[in-house]
Amino acid sequence: MYDFFQNKIIFINYILDMSKEIVMIEFSNEMIEESIKQAKKREPFIRHHFELKHFSGEERNKIGFLGEFACCQFFGIDWKQNIREDYLTIDDFDFSIKHLKVDVKTETVPSSFINSILKGEINDDEPWGRRLINKGQVPLLNKYDVVIFGLIDRNNRSGWYPIGYMTTKNILENYSIQTKMPFGTKNYPSPAMAIRTSELKSLSLLKSTLQR
């Protein structure tokens, strides 16, 4: 039986519709310390596909590791056993569960948008309505079976929220690389596949299916 309390999985708001359930996985001190360690270790070997003014490359690495650790914990996987020995080469996937090869993409989001994203109320064509896969990451999609999207509150980085997932088959068949945002006249910081949040499937339902 999965021990939700022991694994620091907090149900923020229980809704009868499982697909709308909001979950946060709290970061332990050990997770945070290890993410800093691995971010420093990885930074010399990684080429970032785009730049962000509000985060350094090392900070973005840390966010990525926290997302991976938390996602492993969500599925009952020992995240410490999933840490690589080195980063001399690009990994084939972040982790596997049963037959699925998983890639985890974690972003930071301003607090004011989080509830609408997690409850599925956000408009896909408004700010923060899409989940991005950068152009440079697209060739790697063939290595995965599913892409899991999650977020961290930019104003309170205490935990990881799963948004949902999509199969790479679905992504590659239905999305192309875009330069313009679906609102206003601005371009994305770099070309990307802009995945509609409304089309993501529930991670809780995926977990339930895999545990059968």
Side-chain angles (χ1 to χ4, degrees):
M1 183 175 179
Y2 199 80
D3 188 340
F4 291 103
F5 179 78
Q6 179 180 346
N7 286 280
K8 298 289 186 181
I9 297 184
I10 302 172
F11 286 77
I12 301 299
N13 186 21
Y14 182 78
I15 302 173
L16 289 177
D17 180 355
M18 285 287 286
S19 67
K20 302 299 183 184
E21 184 180 66
I22 295 179
V23 177
M24 182 186 79
I25 301 183
E26 187 178 12
F27 297 138
S28 65
N29 289 334
E30 187 177 16
M31 278 183 176
I32 294 169
E33 290 168 3
E34 193 63 40
S35 72
I36 294 170
K37 176 182 174 182
Q38 296 301 320
K40 290 180 179 178
K41 187 176 176 181
R42 184 188 188 194
E43 181 60 20
F45 302 101
I46 189 170
R47 179 176 67 84
H48 293 286
H49 297 290
F50 58 96
E51 298 300 324
L52 295 174
K53 293 180 181 179
H54 50 278
F55 287 122
S56 67
E58 199 167 292
E59 287 172 325
R60 288 160 61 192
N61 288 341
K62 177 185 173 183
I63 289 165
F65 280 116
L66 284 171
E68 288 178 29
F69 297 164
C71 192
C72 281
Q73 188 159 294
F74 177 86
F75 284 103
I77 297 170
D78 184 351
W79 60 268
K80 287 175 281 189
Q81 296 298 316
N82 196 56
I83 296 173
R84 297 176 62 187
E85 290 186 7
D86 61 60
Y87 301 96
L88 299 176
T89 59
I90 298 174
D91 56 357
D92 289 333
F93 48 88
D94 289 332
F95 67 89
S96 63
I97 178 167
K98 294 200 173 176
H99 60 289
L100 295 178
K101 295 177 181 178
V102 176
D103 180 54
V104 182
K105 297 198 180 298
T106 301
E107 62 187 300
T108 63
V109 174
S111 298
S112 58
F113 290 93
I114 289 178
N115 275 344
S116 60
I117 292 172
L118 297 177
K119 291 181 180 180
E121 297 170 354
I122 196 160
N123 186 317
D124 292 330
D125 295 332
E126 292 182 355
W128 298 98
R130 303 281 184 124
R131 321 275 54 96
L132 303 183
I133 300 175
N134 187 268
K135 178 182 178 180
Q137 299 169 329
V138 171
L140 302 176
L141 290 175
N142 285 309
K143 294 184 176 184
Y144 322 133
D145 296 304
V146 299
V147 177
I148 290 174
F149 298 90
L151 66 82
I152 295 172
D153 187 334
R154 189 174 293 178
N155 307 103
N156 176 20
R157 303 179 201 172
S158 59
W160 181 84
Y161 297 84
I163 303 172
Y165 79 96
M166 186 175 287
T167 66
T168 53
K169 182 177 184 294
N170 192 353
I171 294 171
L172 292 169
E173 288 180 354
N174 295 288
Y175 286 91
S176 59
I177 296 168
Q178 306 292 319
T179 56
K180 290 189 177 297
M181 296 179 178
F183 55 90
T185 58
K186 292 184 178 180
N187 290 341
Y188 287 114
S190 64
M193 286 181 166
I195 310 300
R196 297 178 183 86
T197 302
S198 66
E199 295 183 354
L200 297 181
K201 296 184 178 180
S202 166
L203 211 57
S204 292
L205 292 179
L206 175 64
K207 177 183 173 182
S208 176
T209 300
L210 290 172
Q211 289 181 336
R212 288 174 186 169

